[in-house]
Amino acid sequence: MSKTKVVMTIAGSDSGGGAGIQADLKTFQSIGVFGTTVLTGVTAQNTAGVQNAVHLESSLVAEQFKSVAEDMEISAVKTGMLSNAQIIETVSDNLASFSTKPWIVIDPVLAATSGDLLLERQAVSTLLEKLIPISDIITPNIPEAEILTGINIDHSKDLQKAAHKLKEAGAKSVLIKGGHTSGNATDHFFWEDEYHTFSAERVGVGSLHGTGCTLGSAICAYLSKTDDLLTSIKLAKKYVTQAINNSFTIGEGSKVLLHSSIGDEEVQEKEELNA
Ligand SMILES: Nc1ncnc2c1ncn2[C@@H]1O[C@H](COP(=O)(O)OP(=O)(O)OP(=O)(O)O)[C@@H](O)[C@H]1O
Ligand SMILES: Cc1ncc(CO)c(N)n1
C-alpha cells in the first residue's frame, strides 16, 4: 500500500463550516490525504456573512508550522485567508525553510463571498512580493486577479494580460477562476507558454460559499498524489463541480457544498492519461 500523503492548509476558521480551514479539511478527507492545519485567524461567520474576524499572532502561526513540519513530511501546502502582511511574511519565511520543497498552492483570498475583507488591503503588495514568487500555482477569482494586477478583466485578452503580470511577479502558473462570470464556469490556466481551459456547465443554484477554498485544497490534495499540475487541476475541477452539483441550503445565506468521498480510482486517470 502506498504511504498516506500529508498536506497542510494555512488558513482561517469559518465557524459556519462552509469555507476556510473547514472546507479544506473536508476536501482533504474526501480525496484521501491527511490534512494538517496552520490557523491564521478565526472568523465568526455563517452562510450570510462574516460577523467578526480576529487574526492570530504571527509567532503562533510560526509555532504551529514548526510543530507540524518538524514532525511530518509535507508534500503539498495550500494557503487561504492570511489576514495581514506580518502573517504573510511569516508564512513565506517558513515555506522557504523546507529542505524538500512541497507543492505550493496560493489561493489569494481577499474577501468572503459576502464581500467582507479577509486580507488587509495594504497587505496585497506583500502577497505579491513574498508569496507569489514561491508559488507553483496561484488561483485568483476574477475580482482578485483584477486587484492583484490592476487590470480590468472584460475580455479574454485581459485574462492573458493579468496572468502574464502574475507570472512576471514570480508565479509558476496561474489559474484564473471563472465563478464570477456568466455562461459556463470556465477556469483559465496559464503555465509556461501553455494555455488550457477547464470548463463545467454553470450550476444555477444561486450564491455559493466555499467554492474557491474547495478547488484550491483539491488541487493541493491531488498534487500530493499525482505530482502533476494539469492532472491535479482536471481532477480538482471535477471534484468541485460534483460538490457544487450536490450543494444544499443549510442557513439563510449562500448554499454550501457537499463533500463526498472520491477514492483512488480518480487518480488512476493520471496513468490512463499518460498511457
Ligand atoms: N455556479 C457554478 N457552477 C459551476 N461551477 C462553478 C460555479 N461557481 C463557481 N464555480 C467553479 O468553482 C470554482 C471556484 O471558483 P470561484 O470563482 O467561485 O472561486 P472563489 O470566488 O474564490 O470562491 P469563494 O466564493 O468561495 O471565495 C471554479 O472552478 C469555478 O469555475
Ligand atoms: C475563513 C475563510 N477563508 C476563506 C474564505 C473565502 O471563501 C472565507 N469566506 N472564510
Side-chain angles (χ1 to χ4, degrees):
M1 233 176 80
S2 64
K3 204 171 147 216
T4 301
K5 298 289 182 178
V6 182
V7 297
M8 174 189 278
T9 168
I10 306 175
S13 166
D14 167 8
S15 53
I21 222 140
Q22 288 80 357
D24 297 344
L25 283 177
K26 289 172 196 179
T27 305
F28 293 158
Q29 177 77 16
S30 296
I31 295 173
V33 296
F34 186 84
T36 66
T37 58
V38 171
L39 203 61
T40 54
V42 177
T43 68
Q45 185 174 178
N46 56 26
T47 60
V50 179
Q51 289 76 47
N52 196 6
V54 173
H55 54 254
L56 299 188
E57 291 295 329
S58 55
S59 56
L60 184 56
V61 172
E63 279 167 340
Q64 295 174 72
F65 193 97
K66 203 161 163 252
S67 296
V68 177
E70 280 185 358
D71 191 36
M72 297 172 222
E73 194 185 317
I74 309 296
S75 46
V77 177
K78 178 240 166 187
T79 69
M81 179 185 99
L82 296 174
S83 302
N84 59 37
Q86 230 186 337
I87 292 183
I88 294 174
E89 295 207 10
T90 301
V91 168
S92 165
D93 290 347
N94 280 281
L95 288 176
S97 74
F98 277 112
S99 52
T100 311
K101 189 185 159 294
W103 288 98
I104 298 178
V105 180
I106 306 290
D107 181 14
V109 171
L110 301 183
T113 317
S114 53
D116 299 278
L117 287 192
L118 298 175
L119 180 73
E120 290 172 2
R121 274 296 177 267
Q122 63 266 36
V124 167
S125 57
T126 317
L127 186 73
L128 281 163
E129 279 161 32
K130 298 280 176 179
L131 223 44
I132 289 184
I134 56 173
S135 65
D136 290 297
I137 175 168
I138 169 168
T139 63
N141 61 28
I142 288 182
E144 287 161 350
E146 290 182 325
I147 292 170
L148 289 170
T149 61
I151 293 169
N152 257 347
I153 301 179
D154 293 321
H155 303 104
S156 55
K157 269 250 170 313
D158 306 326
L159 285 168
Q160 242 176 56
K161 275 194 230 158
H164 184 69
K165 205 158 173 191
L166 290 169
K167 283 204 279 179
E168 269 182 353
K172 279 205 193 63
S173 70
V174 181
L175 182 72
I176 303 182
K177 297 174 289 193
H180 297 249
T181 50
S182 50
N184 278 347
T186 301
D187 303 341
H188 303 265
F189 184 53
F190 300 85
W191 178 38
E192 293 169 355
D193 291 331
E194 297 181 24
Y195 168 63
H196 301 264
T197 55
F198 296 86
S199 203
E201 217 169 282
R202 181 168 299 275
V203 183
V205 289
S207 175
L208 290 160
H209 180 55
T211 50
C213 302
T214 300
L215 181 73
S217 48
I219 293 172
C220 172
Y222 283 124
L223 277 171
S224 80
K225 288 190 154 196
T226 69
D227 283 318
D228 186 293
L229 258 177
L230 280 176
T231 305
S232 298
I233 300 168
K234 178 174 176 268
L235 293 175
K237 177 72 175 171
K238 191 169 169 182
Y239 180 88
V240 77
T241 302
Q242 185 180 322
I244 291 171
N245 273 316
N246 295 328
S247 62
F248 60 104
T249 302
I250 202 147
E252 299 287 320
S254 305
K255 290 192 175 187
V256 294
L257 306 193
L258 183 73
H259 296 262
S260 34
S261 288
I262 281 218
D264 262 353
E265 67 278 5
E266 297 284 334
V267 175
Q268 306 291 329
E269 286 197 27
K270 185 194 173 199
E271 273 96 69
E272 283 165 33
L273 285 174
N274 291 341

